[in-house]
Amino acid sequence: MPLTPELRRKVDQMRDYLYGGGYPDPMSNAEQLAFLFYFNLAEGLDRDNAARGRLVKKEYTSAFDGTWDLKNPLNAPKKGQDTIPRSQFRWSVWAHVLTGENLVRFVRDEVFPFYAEMAGRSAVNFMEGARLGIDDPTVLTQVIGLVDELRLDQADGDTKGDLFEHVLKQISQAGELGQFRTPRHIIRAMVRMLDPHIGETVYDPAAGTAGFLVAAYDHIRLNNSSSNAVEEVELDGKTLRRGHGDKLSAAKWEVLQHATFYGNDVDPKMVRLATMNLTLRGLPDVSIRRRNVLTTTLDAQQKADLGLPQEGFKVILANPPFSGRVDKDRIVDDVKVGTTTATEILFLKYMVDSLKPDGRCAVIVPEGVLFGSTSAHKELRRQLIENNTVEAVLSLPGGVFQPYSGVKTSVLLFRKGGTTERVLFLHADNEGYKLDARHDTPIDQDDLPTLVEAFQKREECWQKWQEYSLSLEGEGRGEGEKLDWTENWWFATVAAIRACDFNLSASRYRPLSQSQVEHLDPLVLMDELKAIEVEIMEEMDSLAEKLREGTA
């Protein structure tokens, strides 16, 4: 069942009821909807688990069997009764009969504790500390009625996931989750470039709502689907292909669902949203843990206890926080780069160290990371170039992260180990959506598909670039005759990069035609100036901190 306009309308109605009812925080509203979705789906999930138990002849105890000790005596059906049957926590029972203050009290004092106990059986109890935030009886009744109308139990995992993504998309448009939600078409391009396979571990150390892990899951399923198990769906105004993974054996499905995806986030709300996003798509056992990787470290025993790969991860996909600093006394030694406290540099160092040998990473970075002149910036780039294999830099157009951030960004792609000989630079002028303040209007101009293909065929591209470079010697050409490079990709050798203080900004090495030199895009210049300004402000903040320490 596809994500229909009618389903989208119902989600938008929920948002309108919540906002109009006095609940203006989009992030909290998404969290509350995640809980209600879970309550709605739990009955069907329990039924599926019972059927699976019978199939494998394994005893299964339903969460709805037995009795429940009431937390609030006012919820007792009769005076003096202190327990009720657990079967009354089925959505089909309480959500259809309770209204008004009785509904609010029962959901707040009984339903939330019951499902927190139930969620405790999962890989991560994403309901730990959860509480009802919708205490207006009318609003809660309206929203529960709309959730019931969604008929989530009849939808497949992709539809439920797309529905939840629609909730998250509304949040980003409200400007509340900008640092957490990466545009999904950018994520899909990054995943296609890294091309994760079944049997490889996939990790996001700043998982947010788990967009990268979901995209990697979709990619692996598509690559393991026969032609009649592939469908085209419309999402965000674009058509994309989705596969059902019918070529995967039962053993490979087990690996995909239980030993492939890993993630962390510092925010408990993000852990909940990510876990729900994955659960709705059929990945309830993926562990998204609450952890700040910049201030905590895990030893071998802790990794074993948590079921984490000892040797590191094969694939890392991430969009870590662009700004902010960590208290230098809390930064673990493993991620330190000089004396910097900038999170974007520390995260990048952490990701390098978290890869398996020959593991690969695609990470979104602010432009200043690529050309910053501080000692930490240059040292990190030196380590990337000389101790690892930087394969490509994809320069994204300014405005990709509107409406919640105007920072200029690029995607850095590298492998763990080896040494860099050359870097492919890819430049996107357009990425399929109008680059305005909302950034949600589809357009035909989209450079990402051809740039992804160029990355996939980078050896062929290198041969073409070498031919072009040799032709620049100009043998047989008339005086003043110019050769133009018309592709939106190009290369730089490690010698050229080393000579430029390991600068990895795509524009630094772009072969410009005469007309391009005379008519540089002012928007590109503005993006570069903004990135320089950010770097200057970071340096001033760092200097001020040192001065304060000196006078303390």
Side-chain angles (χ1 to χ4, degrees):
M1 181 176 73
L3 179 58
T4 64
E6 177 66 14
L7 290 175
R8 291 192 185 97
R9 186 185 65 79
K10 291 185 186 300
V11 170
D12 294 341
Q13 263 189 290
M14 294 179 205
R15 183 190 57 172
D16 293 341
Y17 281 147
L18 288 167
Y19 188 82
Y23 303 95
D25 180 13
M27 186 172 177
S28 295
N29 291 345
E31 186 182 36
Q32 293 293 303
L33 288 178
F35 295 144
L36 293 176
F37 286 176
Y38 176 57
F39 303 160
N40 178 273
L41 288 166
E43 189 172 345
L45 292 172
D46 181 77
R47 196 163 48 242
D48 293 343
N49 289 334
R52 192 176 298 113
R54 289 192 298 270
L55 186 65
V56 299
K57 298 181 179 177
K58 183 178 180 181
E59 185 177 349
Y60 174 74
T61 302
S62 170
F64 300 108
D65 291 344
T67 58
W68 171 261
D69 294 331
L70 289 169
K71 309 301 180 186
N72 186 339
L74 293 177
N75 289 316
K78 292 187 293 187
K79 189 175 181 179
Q81 185 175 339
D82 56 5
T83 64
I84 60 173
R86 284 175 171 259
S87 59
Q88 292 195 21
F89 288 99
R90 296 179 187 274
W91 178 278
S92 59
V93 177
W94 66 266
H96 291 173
V97 298
L98 294 176
T99 58
E101 292 290 348
N102 291 335
L103 175 65
V104 172
R105 187 175 60 247
F106 187 74
V107 173
R108 181 191 62 214
D109 299 335
E110 313 298 342
V111 172
F112 266 74
F114 174 84
Y115 281 100
E117 176 192 288
M118 188 173 176
R121 304 178 185 181
S122 303
V124 175
N125 186 352
F126 64 92
M127 286 201 62
E128 184 178 0
R131 56 179 56 88
L132 178 66
I134 311 170
D135 53 7
D136 182 283
T138 302
V139 176
L140 183 60
T141 301
Q142 289 171 325
V143 172
I144 285 177
L146 286 171
V147 171
D148 198 49
E149 291 177 18
L150 292 175
R151 301 288 184 266
L152 292 176
D153 58 325
Q154 300 175 15
D156 59 33
D158 289 326
T159 301
K160 287 182 284 195
D162 291 344
L163 191 68
F164 194 58
E165 282 288 346
H166 185 63
V167 174
L168 301 178
K169 184 171 182 285
Q170 301 305 316
I171 297 171
S172 73
Q173 289 175 346
E176 298 292 335
L177 272 185
Q179 67 269 44
F180 301 114
R181 191 177 191 278
T182 309
R184 273 24 186 181
H185 62 290
I186 301 296
I187 288 178
R188 288 191 292 270
M190 294 168 63
V191 170
R192 289 197 302 272
M193 294 168 92
L194 286 199
D195 188 26
H197 289 75
I198 188 73
E200 294 183 324
T201 50
V202 181
Y203 176 49
D204 184 349
T209 58
F212 281 103
L213 302 182
V214 167
Y217 175 60
D218 289 344
H219 179 84
I220 293 172
R221 285 191 305 156
L222 178 61
N223 284 350
N224 289 275
S225 298
S226 57
S227 57
N228 58 359
V230 174
E231 61 180 341
E232 290 190 347
V233 298
E234 184 272 327
L235 207 59
D236 298 332
K238 296 286 186 178
T239 300
L240 61 96
R241 298 171 70 239
R242 183 173 277 161
H244 299 293
D246 60 311
K247 290 185 177 181
L248 292 170
S249 65
K252 288 184 177 179
W253 268 112
E254 183 74 13
V255 169
L256 188 62
Q257 293 178 316
H258 300 283
T260 298
F261 303 107
Y262 303 85
N264 306 308
D265 203 277
V266 297
D267 188 340
K269 287 187 177 182
M270 288 298 101
V271 172
R272 289 171 183 161
L273 293 175
T275 302
M276 178 54 66
N277 198 6
L278 293 164
T279 298
L280 289 170
R281 295 178 184 276
L283 296 171
D285 296 321
V286 173
S287 176
I288 305 296
R289 301 198 171 275
R290 186 184 178 190
R291 180 188 169 208
N292 187 338
V293 298
L294 305 183
T295 60
T296 61
T297 186
L298 301 176
D299 59 28
Q301 186 57 53
Q302 289 172 313
K303 289 181 180 180
D305 293 342
L306 295 173
L308 300 175
Q310 291 286 346
E311 70 281 11
F313 302 92
K314 189 64 177 180
V315 173
I316 294 180
L317 292 147
N319 177 18
F322 282 174
S323 59
R325 293 179 180 275
V326 183
D327 185 338
K328 66 179 182 179
D329 294 328
R330 297 179 59 219
I331 300 172
V332 296
D333 291 339
D334 293 346
V335 303
K336 287 183 178 179
V337 182
T339 60
T340 188
T341 57
T343 56
E344 62 268 28
I345 295 179
L346 300 175
F347 260 109
L348 194 50
K349 175 63 163 58
Y350 169 80
M351 284 183 275
V352 173
D353 294 342
S354 298
L355 283 172
K356 291 178 65 173
D358 202 41
R360 53 203 190 278
C361 175
V363 54
I364 296 175
V365 296
E367 204 74 0
V369 169
L370 302 178
F371 63 75
S373 60
T374 71
S375 58
H377 281 93
K378 289 191 283 190
E379 173 58 19
L380 180 62
R381 294 197 301 267
R382 185 196 67 77
Q383 291 181 20
L384 282 170
I385 292 292
E386 296 189 346
N387 302 332
N388 300 279
T389 307
V390 177
E391 295 187 315
V393 174
L394 167 59
S395 176
L396 299 172
V400 163
F401 285 91
Q402 291 288 13
Y404 37 80
S405 175
V407 64
K408 174 74 173 71
T409 59
S410 289
V411 179
L412 182 62
L413 300 109
F414 62 90
R415 286 181 179 267
K416 175 70 172 288
T419 184
T420 305
E421 296 180 0
R422 57 181 178 268
V423 175
L424 170 62
F425 292 96
L426 307 150
H427 179 81
D429 288 309
N430 293 288
E431 35 70 79
Y433 291 86
K434 188 176 181 181
L435 294 167
D436 57 10
R438 292 179 62 85
H439 191 230
D440 62 356
T441 304
I443 60 174
D444 292 334
Q445 294 80 10
D446 186 358
D447 297 326
L448 292 180
T450 57
L451 293 176
V452 170
E453 184 179 7
F455 177 81
Q456 293 169 339
K457 298 180 178 179
R458 54 193 177 278
E459 290 302 322
E460 295 177 28
C461 291
W462 171 242
Q463 295 301 320
K464 183 175 180 179
W465 175 258
Q466 284 184 303
E467 293 171 5
Y468 164 76
S469 300
L470 290 173
S471 71
L472 288 180
E473 296 177 4
E475 292 183 11
R477 291 186 169 273
E479 184 178 349
E481 188 174 355
K482 301 289 184 181
L483 279 176
D484 280 355
W485 179 257
T486 58
E487 304 288 353
N488 55 352
W489 55 263
W490 52 91
F491 285 87
T493 64
V494 69
I497 293 171
R498 188 178 288 112
C500 295
D501 273 340
F502 301 100
N503 187 315
L504 287 172
S505 177
S507 61
R508 178 66 181 80
Y509 307 99
R510 184 169 193 168
L512 298 178
S513 67
Q514 188 62 32
S515 62
Q516 287 172 316
V517 170
E518 294 171 355
H519 304 287
L520 287 172
D521 187 344
L523 291 177
V524 173
L525 295 175
M526 286 295 294
D527 287 336
E528 292 181 357
L529 288 172
K530 287 179 182 178
I532 293 171
E533 182 183 17
V534 169
E535 184 192 357
I536 292 172
M537 294 304 298
E538 288 179 350
E539 283 301 292
M540 291 179 65
D541 289 343
S542 178
L543 179 59
E545 182 180 347
K546 290 178 181 178
L547 289 173
R548 282 192 292 269
E549 290 175 354
T551 57

